[in-house]
């Protein structure tokens, strides 16, 4: 299993990145809570990874810290939750927020995520509450620790492209195209880059 990758960040297209390691580019999908913490393209980065092998694909999922990766692994053990839905959940809320939602039986917060109806949210609470009680005690429940990107002096993505990129990322995370477009339009302000649009759109959805 590939548990960690360190190399040069060469592409950022939410929710996917590419890290160059000795000339090999690893495509990695990340929840937006980790994606926000990435450094600028061209800088060195280390991500904790989870490797998924399917009949038709081999996929890498990356996380800012072991807490988030651990939460992802617990999520995909739950009935009806695959890697894509796990990625969506951890894009809308941090690992610690998800843990708190389950422990407090806050079904409404979970239902705000695309692909999660009331019955699924209730099942997640039942299945994960006891398991995550131990999880919380054995992990550092904190925000991702990757260095924040310094965008000073960087050229922003053109406005239309930023909105389109944000909407595309939301669709990749499970939102329907019309819903993603509405979410982007609802939060967009002048000079926002795509990552900021996505962050604000996901925050508004909760």
């Amino acid at each position: 299993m590939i548990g960690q990758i360190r190399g040069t960040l060469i592409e950022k297209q939410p929710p996917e990145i590419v890290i160059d390691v000795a000339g090999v580019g690893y495509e990695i999908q990340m929840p937006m809570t980790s994606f926000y913490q990435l450094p600028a393209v061209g800088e060195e980065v280390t991500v904790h990874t989870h490797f998924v092998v399917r009949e038709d694909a081999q996929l890498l999922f990356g996380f800012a810290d072991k807490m988030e990766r651990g939460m992802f692994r617990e999520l995909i053990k739950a009935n009806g939750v695959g890697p894509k839905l796990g990625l969506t959940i951890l894009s809308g809320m941090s690992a610690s927020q998800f843990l708190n939602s389950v422990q407090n039986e806050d079904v409404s917060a979970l239902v705000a995520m695309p692909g999660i109806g009331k019955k699924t949210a209730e099942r997640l609470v039942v299945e994960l509450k006891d398991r995550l009680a131990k999880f919380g005690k054995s992990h550092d429940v904190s925000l991702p620790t990757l260095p924040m990107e310094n965008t000073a002096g960087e050229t922003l993505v053109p406005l239309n492209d930023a909105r389109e990129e944000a909407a595309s990322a939301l669709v990749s995370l499970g939102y329907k195209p019309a819903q993603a477009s509405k979410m982007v339009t609802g939060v967009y302000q002048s000079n926002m880059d795509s990552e900021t649009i996505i962050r604000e759109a996901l925050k508004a959805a909760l």
Side-chain angles (χ1 to χ4, degrees), residues 137-184:
K137 292 176 182 178
S138 62
H139 290 73
D140 177 20
V141 183
S142 58
L143 293 176
T145 56
L146 284 175
M148 291 293 292
E149 177 178 350
N150 178 7
T151 58
E154 293 185 5
T155 301
L156 293 177
V157 177
L159 301 186
N160 289 338
D161 289 347
R163 288 196 291 264
E164 291 175 4
E165 185 175 306
S168 177
L170 291 172
V171 170
S172 297
L173 293 171
Y175 291 92
K176 295 181 179 179
Q179 185 182 13
S181 179
K182 184 177 180 180
M183 291 168 67
V184 168

Side-chain angles (χ1 to χ4, degrees), residues 74-86 89 114-117 119-121 123-124 127:
E74 294 297 334
L75 266 169
I76 61 177
K77 291 177 186 176
N79 185 31
V81 179
K84 184 174 181 179
L85 184 54
I89 292 171
I116 300 183
K119 289 184 179 179
T120 300
R123 187 175 68 245
L124 283 174
E127 286 191 36

Side-chain angles (χ1 to χ4, degrees), residues 75-143:
L75 266 169
I76 61 177
K77 291 177 186 176
N79 185 31
V81 179
K84 184 174 181 179
L85 184 54
L87 202 71
T88 298
I89 292 171
L90 293 178
S91 288
M93 57 178 65
S94 68
S96 57
Q97 288 172 330
F98 178 76
L99 176 62
N100 289 335
S101 294
V102 171
Q103 294 300 318
N104 295 328
E105 300 183 12
D106 187 359
V107 172
S108 61
L110 299 177
V111 170
M113 303 291 107
I116 300 183
K118 186 177 181 181
K119 289 184 179 179
T120 300
E122 291 173 344
R123 187 175 68 245
L124 283 174
V125 169
V126 171
E127 286 191 36
L128 296 178
K129 188 171 183 179
D130 289 341
R131 192 191 309 165
L132 294 187
K134 299 178 181 179
F135 181 90
K137 292 176 182 178
S138 62
H139 290 73
D140 177 20
V141 183
S142 58
L143 293 176

